[in-house]
Amino acid sequence: MRLGGRLAGAIEVLADIEARRRPVADALKDWGLSHRFAGSGDRSAIGNVVYDALRMKLSHAWLMDDDRPEALAFAVLLRQWGMTPEALATELEGDRFAPALPDAALAALASRSLDTAPAHVQGDIPAWIQPAFEAAFGEDWVREAQALAGRTALDLRANRLKAPREKVIAALEETGARPAAIAHDGIRIAPGEGASRLPNVMAELTFAKGWFEVQDEGSQIVSELIDPQDGHQILDYCAGGGGKTLALSAIMRNKGQIHAFDADRKRLAPIIERLKRAGTRNVQVHDRAQQLKSLEGACDIVLVDAPCTGTGTWRRRPDTKWRLTERSLDERLAQQRDALTNAARHVRPGGTLVYITCSILPAENADQTRAFVEANPDFTLQPALPVYQRLFAGAPEPWSGESGGLTLTPATTGTDGFFFSLMTRKPA
């Protein structure tokens, strides 16, 4: 397919997402199934246009004075892919599948400056959530929001149970893999530009051998901040697919004991195969809360990787940015409170409760931990920054608030957005 056909395909997908309010991955999959003639390169390019358009949807629409899918798709090529209107017109000339250039939108783009747009448009976030960004980041909130609208790298975690990071990087040399900036086992493959696509690392033999896992560097960093010791007994209360469970097991060198639990069995199911591939031997998997009865008051560390809005992952899932509502935020807040309350009973006296989200909203983060310790006076908030500074000396530092928690962001640590907080239970 030429550029015109790819552009037309992206417009079709964007229109489907807008009309049916559906996840971008589903819309792209359905488009591919109904257009089997499109090659893998075509599908990848179309996906890049769609994702880029959604990442900067508000600013594209404002500058083009047009929020239709056609305007958004053309804005991607002009603003993010570095094409000029003249070069674009030449590229599309004679392509019978190419959509018409939107002359009025192009004129608006030439005459407008984003500096005069409303602040939430500059940051490409919904207007109703601007106060939360201001509360989280003060005067830097627009810069932080804009960083959440960029493309993201492909991050891997070398599995030290199978292979050191240097060996994994050597095996993935053709992908451009490099050591991550902060996480000790992290590996980064830089995001491509324009229509380029990231490598399918899961097709690598080394992946099948368990040498590495796909995991954002931010997720790796917060796993290391838990600072587990070889003999610890740990409960990963919201284990999901097991990313942090696997990271903790590797840090502990297969010693001690990790209990992985999630109330959602469907989310938990992939962990079994992942544990086998990784060579993990110190993990027990639980899919029923009653199976945790014997762990009450017995765990050195209890990790609550709480369900959240996922605002820290907007670079990877930009469609969720525009589907987020105050109602869905309230639902997540209630789930977080329940998870903290239920998980806390498994912390031994003198033990640690760890609270993590992939959100950057204060309501889901510092507000939750403050409310929890106020309601549970046997728990005390602890500063997490000293732990970060000890483990990652000299690395770029995340945001640190009065509650003692840390917030990682694309703008500060070059990772997805994550919140990390430590709470200790008073000794008996």
Side-chain angles (χ1 to χ4, degrees):
M1 295 173 66
R2 294 176 58 185
L3 178 61
R6 291 175 170 182
L7 195 57
I11 291 169
E12 189 177 337
V13 174
L14 286 167
D16 182 32
I17 293 170
E18 181 67 23
R20 299 168 65 183
R21 304 288 293 174
R22 61 198 310 239
V24 61
D26 292 348
L28 284 167
K29 181 180 178 181
D30 284 354
W31 188 93
L33 290 173
S34 61
H35 297 78
R36 294 185 182 276
F37 60 85
S40 60
D42 297 322
R43 294 193 301 272
S44 176
I46 290 168
N48 282 351
V49 174
V50 170
Y51 274 95
D52 282 345
L54 292 173
R55 290 182 179 111
M56 301 177 68
K57 178 180 176 181
L58 276 188
S59 61
H60 283 336
W62 192 87
L63 287 169
M64 302 287 274
D65 195 25
D66 189 341
D67 63 358
R68 293 176 301 165
E70 293 86 346
L72 299 180
F74 275 103
V76 168
L77 302 183
L78 296 168
R79 293 187 64 210
Q80 292 166 278
W81 292 24
M83 298 187 74
T84 65
E86 296 75 21
L88 182 55
T90 300
E91 182 75 21
L92 298 179
E93 186 176 0
D95 187 342
R96 64 189 181 93
F97 296 106
L101 286 165
D103 293 335
L106 293 177
L109 178 63
S111 64
R112 289 189 164 198
S113 169
L114 193 59
D115 293 339
T116 62
H120 75 281
V121 172
Q122 295 181 41
D124 272 295
I125 63 170
W128 71 269
I129 213 166
Q130 178 178 329
F133 271 72
E134 293 174 339
F137 305 118
E139 294 181 353
D140 288 333
W141 79 265
V142 173
R143 180 177 70 94
E144 290 287 349
Q146 289 173 337
L148 281 165
R151 283 194 184 181
T152 182
L154 174 60
D155 287 345
L156 315 175
R157 177 182 58 80
N159 177 17
R160 62 177 76 171
L161 297 176
K162 293 285 189 78
R165 177 165 68 173
E166 295 74 16
K167 188 174 181 179
V168 178
I169 290 174
L172 298 175
E173 182 180 7
E174 294 180 356
T175 68
R178 297 288 184 271
I182 302 175
H184 293 105
D185 294 321
I187 298 169
R188 174 157 291 186
I189 299 173
E193 298 180 353
S196 63
R197 50 182 169 169
L198 288 166
N200 179 15
V201 294
M202 291 187 183
E204 297 284 341
L205 181 60
T206 48
F207 177 75
K209 290 181 176 179
W211 285 20
F212 66 88
E213 291 285 337
V214 177
Q215 185 178 19
D216 178 76
E217 187 182 7
S219 180
Q220 297 179 50
I221 291 169
V222 295
S223 298
E224 290 194 63
L225 285 172
I226 295 169
D227 202 19
Q229 304 304 308
D230 292 354
H232 274 163
Q233 178 159 253
I234 298 176
L235 170 60
D236 187 352
Y237 189 77
C238 303
K244 294 180 180 64
T245 294
L246 289 163
L248 291 172
S249 177
I251 294 170
M252 296 167 69
R253 300 177 297 173
N254 256 336
K255 298 179 180 180
Q257 185 71 60
I258 302 174
H259 299 268
F261 167 77
D262 200 288
D264 187 338
R265 297 178 188 174
K266 186 176 181 180
R267 291 186 68 236
L268 190 64
I271 196 174
I272 302 300
E273 182 58 36
R274 296 181 73 183
L275 292 171
K276 291 178 182 177
R277 187 176 63 246
T280 300
R281 300 188 304 273
N282 66 337
V283 175
Q284 292 186 40
V285 181
H286 309 274
D287 62 357
R288 290 176 172 81
Q290 56 264 38
Q291 295 170 347
L292 306 179
K293 191 70 176 177
S294 64
L295 299 178
E296 291 188 5
C299 293
D300 299 288
I301 298 173
V302 174
L303 164 62
V304 179
D305 187 5
C308 68
T309 57
T311 53
T313 66
W314 277 348
R315 297 182 302 168
R316 302 178 191 279
R317 303 173 61 208
D319 52 316
T320 63
K321 175 166 35 174
W322 312 114
R323 292 203 306 271
L324 181 62
T325 64
E326 294 182 78
R327 179 179 177 181
S328 59
L329 172 58
D330 289 341
E331 290 173 352
R332 289 305 191 204
L333 294 177
Q335 292 168 350
Q336 291 157 7
R337 288 191 290 269
D338 289 345
L340 272 171
T341 299
N342 293 329
R345 65 171 61 100
H346 300 95
V347 182
R348 68 165 175 80
T352 302
L353 178 62
V354 178
Y355 180 73
I356 295 173
T357 72
C358 55
S359 173
I360 49 79
L361 304 182
E364 298 185 271
N365 297 337
D367 292 355
Q368 286 284 40
T369 56
R370 276 196 294 261
F372 175 80
V373 296
E374 288 174 3
N376 298 270
D378 55 331
F379 281 88
T380 305
L381 284 164
Q382 300 295 329
L385 185 59
V387 181
Y388 183 94
Q389 292 171 332
R390 171 170 57 85
L391 293 175
F392 308 111
E397 292 187 1
W399 289 85
S400 179
E402 293 181 1
S403 69
L406 301 178
T407 303
L408 284 65
T409 67
T412 56
T413 52
T415 68
D416 280 354
F418 278 92
F419 177 76
F420 177 90
S421 181
L422 291 170
M423 292 165 278
T424 55
R425 190 171 193 173
K426 294 178 181 178

